[in-house]
Amino acid sequence: MGKIIAVANQKGGVGKSTTVVSLAAYFGMRGKRVLCIDTDSQGNTTTGLGISKRELTCSTYDVLIGRARIQDAILETESENVSLVPAVSALAGAEIDLVELENRVSRLKAALMTCRDDYDFLLIDCPPSLSLVTLNGLVAADTVLIPMTAEFLAMEGLSQLAETIRLVKSRYNPNLTLEGILFTMYDARLNLAEQVVAEVKQYFPGEVFQTKIPRNVRLSEAPSHGKPVFSYDRGSKGAEAYELLGHEILGEPLVVEKRTRHFLFPRK
Ligand code: ADP
Ligand code: MG
């Protein structure tokens, strides 16, 4: 039974989709079977995994409103062992449709229950809001991974999200836990960044990933090539950081050196 991780933050542009695509690719390279579920109508995880939204006939939207089975929406991607339930812009309307439907916060959960045995990891990319669609992600998940940037007022958004997680936990999903808080686009040279990390650690002791994802241009270029960073530039700092995050989630030592060399000079 695969582990379901919701990648959530109601703020946009904090690295949710980048984290989903990169972690999925890394886990896939390690032989894990991964399903990404794109629940953001912007579809950045979908494009980031090289799937063109124009040709899609079945998406997360159809699954949420009960028009399709999740099995009919799952696509293979070019990344080894990584499958995807894609998003299309129609998903923006799901909010309104869901209000009318029964079990409106547990529809994704119901769908994932029918396929989670086929995967080792199921990564849900949530939209940048605390909407019904995000609630569907949190209700379905075993854990929440929160990417965030170390900026002014970052704590405020985080508290709001933590409150939503508490609510979901008490009402719908008592076993929900934090996978961890991930600092992205991190610049250790900035005093402010260090202060924000210290503050978050104080409020969420033991929940901040040791791995920080640096700001890295290769990570921002990769989506326009429809490739995860590991296929685009596996020697980059961004790839290295996401590899370390992968190790951290898998409970492995945080060393990258040997495998990076292996990446650069693959064995025959
Ligand atoms: P979200 O899904 O939270 O809205 P994205 O993952 O789409 O955030 O990231 C927002 C933008 O920042 C994208 O253009 C992405 O390519 C870029 N980006 C994400 N992480 C990094 C990083 N560590 N370094 C540089 N650019 C990044
Ligand atoms: Mg996104």
Side-chain angles (χ1 to χ4, degrees):
M1 197 170 76
K3 182 177 188 180
I4 305 179
I5 305 177
V7 177
N9 189 330
Q10 72 277 25
K11 199 165 172 218
V14 296
K16 289 182 290 297
S17 303
T18 305
T19 299
V20 167
V21 169
S22 308
L23 259 189
Y26 179 68
F27 286 153
M29 280 163 47
R30 293 285 304 275
K32 313 279 180 204
R33 297 159 305 164
V34 186
L35 180 66
C36 296
I37 304 100
D38 192 351
T39 74
D40 183 2
S41 59
Q42 287 180 38
N44 292 341
T45 286
T46 302
T47 16
L49 285 169
I51 303 289
S52 161
K53 282 181 271 185
R54 252 169 294 153
E55 295 144 30
L56 295 174
T57 51
C58 197
S59 74
T60 310
Y61 175 71
D62 303 282
V63 174
L64 278 176
I65 65 162
R67 202 161 64 180
R69 297 180 325 142
I70 193 161
Q71 285 75 10
D72 298 326
I74 295 174
L75 303 172
E76 300 307 314
T77 72
E78 278 175 25
S79 296
E80 197 183 349
N81 298 320
V82 179
S83 303
L84 168 75
V85 183
V88 292
S89 51
L91 195 54
E95 244 357 85
I96 293 161
D97 297 318
L98 280 171
V99 174
E100 308 274 306
L101 295 170
E102 265 176 66
N103 307 323
R104 57 187 180 208
V105 296
S106 56
R107 300 183 74 88
L108 183 60
K109 178 185 175 125
L112 293 183
M113 287 310 133
T114 69
C115 68
R116 74 182 292 180
D117 287 344
D118 301 332
Y119 301 95
D120 298 303
F121 287 98
L122 298 92
L123 306 178
I124 306 172
D125 187 12
C126 294
S129 59
L130 294 174
S131 58
L132 279 174
V133 173
T134 296
L135 286 183
N136 265 272
L138 297 176
V139 169
D142 298 312
T143 65
V144 194
L145 192 163
I146 306 175
M148 66 181 286
T149 50
E151 283 168 8
F152 185 55
L153 293 183
M155 262 310 288
E156 248 168 59
L158 185 57
S159 311
Q160 209 183 354
L161 179 55
E163 192 46 51
T164 305
I165 292 169
R166 263 192 292 276
L167 184 136
V168 168
K169 210 170 138 73
S170 68
R171 286 215 201 142
Y172 310 106
N173 186 0
N175 298 325
L176 184 65
T177 56
L178 267 191
E179 186 68 43
I181 298 168
L182 175 69
F183 281 97
T184 59
M185 304 180 217
Y186 190 72
D187 186 346
R189 293 168 304 179
L190 300 177
N191 276 336
L192 176 65
E194 235 177 80
Q195 282 166 23
V196 172
V197 171
E199 192 182 7
V200 170
K201 278 185 173 165
Q202 192 187 327
Y203 283 93
F204 298 90
E207 304 287 10
V208 175
F209 283 110
Q210 216 176 309
T211 306
K212 313 251 182 311
I213 311 298
R215 191 175 285 283
N216 176 250
V217 69
R218 303 310 241 175
L219 280 172
S220 60
E221 287 166 357
S224 60
H225 299 265
K227 285 178 177 178
V229 70
F230 292 99
S231 326
Y232 179 61
D233 184 354
R234 47 173 59 177
S236 63
K237 287 279 177 222
E240 196 171 284
Y242 275 108
E243 179 184 355
L244 285 174
L245 178 67
H247 284 291
E248 205 170 340
I249 292 174
L250 294 170
E252 298 170 347
L254 298 188
V255 282
V256 76
E257 213 180 324
K258 260 189 202 148
R259 199 170 288 111
T260 302
R261 255 188 248 128
H262 168 67
F263 282 170
L264 292 172
F265 311 105
R267 270 186 245 124
K268 305 245 162 58

